[in-house]
Amino acid sequence: MAEPGTLSSIFKEKMEGILAEHEKQTTNQIAILAVQYLDGENLEEYGIKVAEKWMLGQKGKDNGVLVLLAVGDRKVRIEVGYGLEGTLTDVYCSRVIKNTMIPLFKEGNYEEGLEKGILQIIRILETGEVPTEPTLWDNFKGYRGVGEEQGFFLYILGLVFVGIIFTFAFIAAFHKEIKGVGLFFFLLVFFQWIPTVFYGFWGWVVCNGIYLIGFPIIRLTRNWLPGIKDLSDRVTGNVSYNEGGGGGFSGSSSDSSFGSSGGFSSGGGSFGGGGSSGSW
């Protein structure tokens, strides 16, 4: 693994060969710039400034791409010329950054992250096939909760909040004085978002499955099924339910840059902010 902010000469030579071959086949010009810090400059403005200074992309085709990595600032951007924005969409560039580059950058594998991201960009430019964007349902199924991004302790904290709504659901299901369905739907609202926020898609599936199946079964059997009836009697006897004001319970208790060639001399393409950025 290279020191933070540096790219090895072997990696540079390898990528220069890949980028030169891609330019030969398509005329697209792709360049990589790795710096330590942006010195307070805006990432997008910095990327456009570099792309225009290097005259990246051919005039009239606007087919340049700049991959900008600021290691010390922990930021990355894919800057796309006007002519390629229809293929390298902002949403797709964001997916490459978020799903491919950043996970490797977090581990300090800057060269591997750059290489895999560049190869994905090249593949879509050479095939011309824009990948289908994930639907809201696809994104929801892929969500793993706040702990995935912000720390495992939030998964632990989630047990408190999920435990609270299950406690209320337990009482509402077993308490014989609670006969309507209003409280069921009230709690259902909380089951939609609390487990999801902390545990993502599968937390939502498991918690809602338990609630939606368990609550009706207990309600239907709490007056006659042994075991459930006994527990229902205990809950009813030990927890008082007040329906008055809406209901209630109470208990009894360094810089590196390179591209596909030594310089770009085709006149330079135009850039207008197409692409995407990310940080970690």
Side-chain angles (χ1 to χ4, degrees):
M1 184 186 303
E3 290 294 324
T6 64
L7 301 175
S8 67
S9 58
I10 295 176
F11 175 74
K12 292 180 185 180
E13 291 176 6
K14 176 182 179 180
M15 293 306 299
E16 283 175 352
I18 292 174
L19 298 179
E21 181 62 26
H22 175 69
E23 181 179 2
K24 181 180 178 181
Q25 293 182 8
T26 65
T27 73
N28 299 327
Q29 295 179 344
I30 303 175
I32 301 171
L33 172 61
V35 300
Q36 268 290 347
Y37 296 100
L38 298 170
D39 296 326
E41 291 196 53
N42 176 274
L43 181 66
E44 181 177 332
E45 293 176 357
Y46 190 96
I48 293 177
K49 183 169 64 177
V50 170
E52 292 178 345
K53 181 178 180 180
W54 288 359
M55 294 191 295
L56 186 60
Q58 296 183 326
K59 189 173 183 179
K61 290 187 176 182
D62 303 324
N63 56 346
V65 178
L66 173 67
V67 179
L68 171 61
L69 170 65
V71 179
D73 290 325
R74 300 170 68 87
K75 294 181 179 180
V76 62
R77 177 166 180 80
I78 300 174
E79 195 69 50
V80 181
Y82 283 122
L84 299 179
E85 288 183 358
T87 304
L88 286 179
T89 64
D90 294 357
V91 175
Y92 180 73
C93 290
S94 179
R95 284 169 56 188
V96 172
I97 289 173
K98 181 180 179 181
N99 300 334
T100 301
M101 291 181 166
I102 287 181
L104 292 167
F105 292 163
K106 284 182 176 180
E107 298 174 357
N109 298 327
Y110 302 107
E111 294 184 358
E112 185 179 359
L114 286 171
E115 181 177 353
K116 288 189 174 181
I118 290 291
L119 290 178
Q120 287 188 10
I121 290 172
I122 288 176
R123 182 166 61 249
I124 186 176
L125 288 176
E126 291 184 350
T127 61
E129 298 176 359
V130 180
T132 303
E133 300 297 345
T135 63
L136 289 175
W137 176 245
D138 292 331
N139 290 330
F140 179 52
K141 287 192 293 183
Y143 180 58
R144 295 294 177 265
V146 292
E148 184 178 45
E149 291 292 333
Q150 301 179 32
F152 184 77
F153 78 95
L154 287 174
Y155 285 144
I156 305 301
L157 181 63
L159 292 176
V160 176
F161 291 93
V162 172
I164 290 172
I165 60 173
F166 264 113
T167 298
F168 279 99
F170 178 87
I171 295 172
F174 280 97
H175 206 293
K176 292 182 178 180
E177 293 179 6
I178 305 174
K179 300 177 181 180
V181 295
L183 188 56
F184 169 81
F185 288 107
F186 176 76
L187 291 173
L188 185 62
V189 174
F190 290 92
F191 271 100
Q192 300 315 299
W193 66 272
I194 290 180
T196 307
V197 167
F198 289 100
Y199 302 108
F201 172 72
W202 289 110
W204 174 79
V205 169
V206 172
C207 291
N208 276 273
I210 295 173
Y211 182 63
L212 291 173
I213 295 173
F215 191 98
I217 290 176
I218 294 171
R219 276 290 187 92
L220 292 171
T221 61
R222 66 187 181 183
N223 290 317
W224 59 271
L225 189 65
I228 292 182
K229 183 179 183 300
D230 292 340
L231 187 54
S232 179
D233 290 337
R234 291 185 182 182
V235 172
T236 304
N238 287 280
V239 180
S240 62
Y241 175 68
N242 229 342
E243 201 164 290
F249 299 105
S250 61
S252 56
S253 62
S254 293
D255 300 356
S256 300
S257 61
F258 54 93
S260 59
S261 61
F264 303 101
S265 55
S266 301
S270 298
F271 291 79
S276 186
S277 306
S279 60
W280 68 97

